[in-house]
């Protein structure tokens, strides 16, 4: 059986669980089991894009009901998981669950609750297994002056880290994006260094929170989806940087730009030019540092393209981006 056939059979089973749930609703008391160990009120099914997820990973959650849905909300590890309705109708909602790059591996319960249009409450629960991410570690011995910023630089970097945290803490309740995401550089289908940890002179640094896309200085950098520019300035580590708020707690980050072409408050469409590739900030050569934050979790940005589809013309027909 091919992988595709297995997946399709799996999908059939999930959605069959829905139909079966309806049939069994009359026979079974209160709750019934769905796929992947999820427990749902009869008439509702919960599907995760994968049963387990590595650190820095992203899950697509789908909730389906036999009745039109009015409200759906989720909670995982003290964080809200927001759901949206797409073109597939009023009996379905989708949500994204991002697992931070440094989330401690283990099993954590995802709870989804909601109400149908006719006022019936429902709930689902599933354990999400977080696995250790398999990311490279690089050990380097370098001269001190290149590793240790001075006091003033440390202060600046800390302030900027807090500034970014404050941005990512805000959840815009509207979904500003619509449809597929794209990789910000034309013709680029893969990135490197996500999650890589550097040990400089024996001191472990933070893991690399984005993916690096190689390109020459001056290459246009495009918005991954529609959104609003919430940061456009020079930062100590990231150099000239832009952050786009896509709504529902989803932000994309673009660093080391040679030029910034937008300002805070600008509404941008998918593919809008945000600036140009450069080598500003702490880098060894020109590239785009592309980051994705989902409800405060640092996630491999290539995964949102993989899960929601690729919006870039260039990538059409080339299949999924590789996840190096
Ligand atoms: Zn980077």
């Amino acid at each position: 059986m091919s992988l595709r056939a297995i997946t399709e059979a799996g999908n059939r089973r999930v959605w069959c669980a829905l139909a079966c749930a309806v049939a069994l609703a009359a026979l079974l008391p209160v709750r019934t089991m769905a796929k992947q160990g999820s427990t749902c009120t009869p008439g509702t099914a919960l599907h995760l894009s994968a049963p387990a997820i590595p650190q820095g990973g992203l899950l697509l959650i789908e909730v389906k009901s036999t009745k039109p849905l009015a409200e759906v909300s989720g909670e995982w590890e003290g964080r809200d998981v927001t759901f949206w309705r797409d073109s597939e109708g009023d009996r379905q909602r989708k949500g994204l669950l991002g697992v931070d790059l440094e989330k401690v591996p283990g099993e954590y319960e995802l709870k989804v609750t909601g109400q149908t249009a006719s006022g019936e409450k429902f709930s689902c629960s599933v354990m999400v297994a977080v696995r250790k991410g398999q990311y490279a570690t690089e050990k380097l011995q370098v001269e001190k002056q290149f590793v240790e910023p001075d006091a003033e630089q440390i202060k600046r970097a800390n302030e900027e880290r807090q500034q970014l945290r404050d941005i990512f803490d805000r959840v815009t309740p509207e979904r500003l994006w619509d449809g597929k995401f794209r990789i910000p550089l034309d013709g680029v289908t893969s990135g490197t260094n996500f999650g890589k940890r550097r040990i400089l002179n024996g001191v472990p640094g933070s893991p690399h929170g984005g993916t690096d896309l190689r390109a020459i200085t001056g290459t246009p950098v495009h918005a991954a989806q529609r959104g609003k520019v919430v940061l456009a300035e020079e930062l100590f580590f990231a150099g000239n940087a832009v952050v786009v708020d896509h709504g529902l707690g989803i932000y994309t980050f673009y660093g080391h730009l040679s030029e910034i072409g937008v300002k805070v408050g600008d509404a941008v469409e998918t593919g809008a030019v945000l600036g140009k590739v450069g080598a500003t900030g702490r880098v060894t050569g020109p590239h785009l540092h592309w980051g994705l934050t989902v409800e405060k979790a640092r996630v491999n940005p290539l995964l949102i393209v993989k899960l929601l589809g690729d919006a870039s013309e260039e990538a059409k027909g080339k299949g999924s981006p590789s996840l190096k």
Side-chain angles (χ1 to χ4, degrees), residues 11-22 32-35 44-45:
N11 285 341
R12 267 200 303 278
R13 249 194 322 270
V14 187
W15 303 128
C16 158
L18 241 178
C20 302
V22 184
T32 186
M33 291 292 283
K35 205 196 164 184
T44 318

Side-chain angles (χ1 to χ4, degrees), residues 5 49 55 88 99 102 119 121 126 128 146 179 191 193 196 199 205 214-215 217 259 269 302 306 319:
S49 54
Q55 293 167 313
E88 285 169 57
V99 172
E102 292 184 280
K121 292 195 184 331
V126 66
V128 176
F146 297 114
N193 295 336
K196 188 172 183 178
I199 300 177
R214 215 177 299 160
T217 296
E259 277 174 46
E269 291 295 324
L302 291 166
K306 197 178 179 220

Side-chain angles (χ1 to χ4, degrees), residues 259-276:
E259 277 174 46
I260 296 177
V262 288
K263 56 184 191 310
V264 170
D266 283 357
V268 292
E269 291 295 324
T270 309
V273 175
L274 304 173
K276 291 176 179 171

Side-chain angles (χ1 to χ4, degrees), residues 192-193 208-212 256 283 287-290:
T192 53
N193 295 336
H208 185 254
T211 192
D212 291 334
H256 311 309
V283 287
H287 69 274
L288 175 69
H289 175 97
W290 184 34

Side-chain angles (χ1 to χ4, degrees), residues 203-238:
V203 182
S206 319
H208 185 254
T211 192
D212 291 334
L213 308 177
R214 215 177 299 160
I216 57 165
T217 296
T219 305
V221 174
H222 302 275
Q225 242 291 352
R226 185 194 289 168
K228 201 175 122 191
V229 175
V230 288
L231 180 137
E233 64 181 69
E234 194 223 339
L235 303 175
F236 178 67
F237 282 110

